[in-house]
Amino acid sequence: MLASFGPQGWWPGKTRFEMMVGAVLTQNTAWTNVEKAIGALRKEKLLTPERMHAVEEGELASLIRSAGYFNIKARRLKNLTARLLENSGLDRFLRKDSSGLRGELLSINGIGPETADSIMLYAAGKSEFVVDAYTKRIFTRHGLIEENAGYEEVKALFMDNLAPDAAVFNEYHALIVRTGKDYCRTKTPLCGECPLKGFLPAGR
Ligand code: SF4
């Protein structure tokens, strides 16, 4: 994948807080919609935990409308910023050890394992592999996981078989997303042109 696509330069975001916001907003929507929402937040100078926490939730929801599920996502962002401020800010929060940080993130209402691991890997630089729908689809089609495998089970495949290296995990996840978007489509995978075609199980 790296040879085909080159480095992906993830996560797209100017600051660690912007990465965290992007990780919340990107659930169930295309990144282009997230970019519009982040652009609106930037225009209103709301891309700091303090400012976002201070803004009224309805106003926040209307600014992130393009990202879909905007009322739910506004609540999640408010929950996240409240927790950051309770922990004396972003720097102290992200400096927690991996298990403490993951536990803290998962205890925030509305933050699931994919969002938590995205924040850990891309904002905190921790060696946590991120699993998303593309990861599940590609690795299921390649016979490496069961179709109904849960998040932690899929994540363990990577955590147990790769040396813990945040830079590698960063690039690997980004390349999986690129492969999923460009080739491993839901209904009609373009295996003949895909860089992973040589890794397909026999008979596929
Ligand atoms: S070869 Fe590519 S498109 Fe085909 S199943 Fe594998 S990842 Fe998906």
Side-chain angles (χ1 to χ4, degrees):
M1 293 187 287
L2 186 61
S4 294
F5 301 128
Q8 299 298 292
W10 272 38
W11 178 288
K14 292 183 177 165
T15 65
R16 289 179 300 164
F17 183 62
E18 191 176 314
M19 288 176 191
M20 295 171 85
V21 172
V24 171
L25 295 181
T26 198
Q27 297 301 308
N28 302 307
T29 195
W31 184 253
T32 47
N33 298 327
V34 175
E35 284 178 326
K36 283 182 205 152
I38 287 182
L41 294 171
R42 183 176 295 115
K43 195 168 165 212
E44 296 301 318
K45 299 188 171 26
L46 292 180
L47 285 172
T48 70
E50 295 78 10
R51 285 173 175 268
M52 190 172 285
H53 186 63
V55 75
E56 199 266 317
E57 191 171 317
E59 187 184 339
L60 181 60
S62 89
L63 287 166
I64 62 169
R65 181 175 285 268
S66 65
Y69 302 99
F70 48 91
N71 287 321
I72 293 170
K73 290 179 179 177
R75 176 98 300 265
R76 289 176 181 170
L77 288 173
K78 295 295 264 183
N79 293 341
L80 177 62
T81 54
R83 189 64 66 89
L84 292 177
L85 297 183
E86 279 164 23
N87 280 269
S88 309
L90 182 109
D91 287 340
R92 273 183 93 132
F93 185 78
L94 293 180
R95 271 206 302 269
K96 289 176 190 285
D97 65 41
S98 288
S99 99
L101 179 57
R102 194 164 195 264
E104 186 90 45
L105 284 165
L106 289 174
S107 74
I108 300 172
N109 202 346
I111 302 288
E114 183 186 339
T115 306
D117 286 337
S118 296
I119 289 171
M120 292 193 65
L121 178 60
Y122 291 102
K126 310 277 192 198
S127 304
E128 297 287 336
F129 205 90
V130 179
V131 172
D132 68 350
Y134 292 124
T135 316
K136 286 186 185 165
R137 188 186 306 154
I138 290 170
F139 282 76
T140 301
R141 284 176 172 168
H142 283 255
L144 293 166
I145 54 172
E146 298 292 329
E147 195 154 2
N148 60 357
Y151 185 95
E152 299 299 339
E153 191 183 338
V154 180
K155 181 179 173 182
L157 176 71
F158 296 91
M159 300 299 287
D160 294 346
N161 289 289
L162 295 173
D165 184 329
V168 171
F169 288 7
N170 174 329
E171 195 64 58
Y172 201 161
H173 174 64
L175 288 164
I176 285 172
V177 172
R178 177 77 183 269
T179 304
K181 275 186 184 158
D182 289 0
Y183 297 101
C184 206
R185 299 179 182 165
T186 318
K187 289 189 181 148
T188 50
L190 306 172
C191 297
E193 304 153 39
C194 178
L196 295 183
K197 66 182 174 193
F199 298 95
L200 275 169
R204 287 210 54 162

